Amino acid sequence: MSAVKKTNSANGSKLKANLRVVKGGLYPYSKREILIENLWLFCQASLWNTQLFSEDETAEFKTLLSEHFKGSKNNEKTFKQLVERVCLAKRYLARRKGRYISKPIDWLNINYKNGLAGTAGWYAVVEEQRKTVPHYNEGISLLAKAVYKYCDKKNVIEVLQFRKELIQLKQHDLVQTYMNTIMHIQYFNF
């Protein structure tokens, strides 16, 4: 489909410009690919923000993350759950000096039980606890929602609102993680 637009140039002659409408927007990526890209940026901002990775390494990390989405019927839910699990790991590291996280090639591997895959059990405990205490670890749920919304719409007003809510919940570590993530998504995306 094309549209023709006629305009007057400075010298008065008519110009024709063909415009094509491309279905699906500007990005040739699927919703899942965009979520995986942004999940990688979240992981990098949260766990490896002082490290540089080559394009090949980054592509491999995204492939490893995509394994966590296989079989998922709800990409949004999977994304939010993985964000929460990364937060649980980050908090685990912060609780005791000397704890460390593996390099991304291992930690992101779905078969590595001491990595992201191993946090599934931690998340199950949180979900069980939320059945009796609905606001249990509510900050990480709010962060997951905030990151997802930013990935979806990149609305600055919402960034400020979610930042405010995290501060009101006294989730200062998550405020820092959120702001680092926004910076990574804004400046290091695709």
Side-chain angles (χ1 to χ4, degrees):
M1 172 187 272
S2 66
V4 178
K5 180 181 179 184
K6 295 180 181 179
T7 60
N8 287 328
S9 65
N11 64 8
S13 66
K14 304 256 182 183
L15 297 176
K16 287 185 181 179
N18 289 325
L19 304 175
R20 276 196 265 157
V21 177
V22 179
K23 184 177 181 186
L26 300 174
Y27 302 107
Y29 304 104
S30 72
K31 179 79 167 176
R32 182 178 278 194
E33 289 171 320
I34 292 168
L35 288 176
I36 291 166
E37 169 74 20
N38 288 313
L39 182 60
W40 161 245
L41 292 170
F42 176 78
C43 290
Q44 185 179 18
S46 299
L47 304 170
W48 302 286
N49 65 346
T50 60
Q51 296 179 15
L52 298 174
F53 300 104
S54 70
E55 286 183 28
D56 290 339
E57 288 174 315
T58 300
E60 191 168 359
F61 302 153
K62 290 177 198 173
T63 301
L64 291 171
L65 282 171
S66 71
E67 293 292 317
H68 293 274
F69 281 86
K70 282 200 174 158
S72 171
K73 294 179 180 168
N74 186 335
N75 291 327
E76 177 183 348
K77 183 177 179 181
T78 301
F79 177 85
K80 288 178 180 178
Q81 182 188 103
L82 290 170
V83 167
E84 287 192 50
R85 288 166 53 186
V86 170
C87 288
L88 292 171
K90 184 172 172 66
R91 285 185 165 174
Y92 171 81
L93 293 173
R95 280 196 298 265
R96 188 173 304 145
K97 189 175 182 182
R99 289 182 177 167
Y100 65 93
I101 195 135
S102 304
K103 55 189 182 256
I105 194 74
D106 294 329
W107 199 80
L108 299 173
N109 189 317
I110 199 161
N111 298 312
Y112 185 63
K113 67 179 179 144
N114 295 323
L116 183 57
T119 63
W122 297 353
Y123 183 76
V125 169
V126 169
E127 284 291 288
E128 188 64 32
Q129 187 67 32
R130 285 178 178 161
K131 289 177 183 174
T132 55
V133 183
H135 296 290
Y136 181 73
N137 248 336
E138 139 180 74
I140 63 173
S141 291
L142 181 62
L143 176 66
K145 179 181 175 182
V147 171
Y148 179 81
K149 283 199 162 226
Y150 187 76
C151 294
D152 194 37
K153 296 189 176 153
K154 293 191 172 56
N155 184 338
V156 178
I157 302 299
E158 286 182 353
V159 170
L160 299 175
Q161 182 59 39
F162 282 116
R163 180 179 177 274
K164 181 180 175 182
E165 288 180 46
L166 288 168
I167 290 170
Q168 287 172 343
L169 290 173
K170 296 183 178 12
Q171 301 290 306
H172 305 293
D173 63 324
L174 299 180
V175 172
Q176 186 63 50
T177 300
Y178 182 49
M179 298 313 291
N180 283 349
T181 300
I182 297 302
M183 189 264 312
H184 272 73
I185 291 171
Q186 186 65 34
Y187 296 107
F188 303 123
N189 210 354
F190 290 107

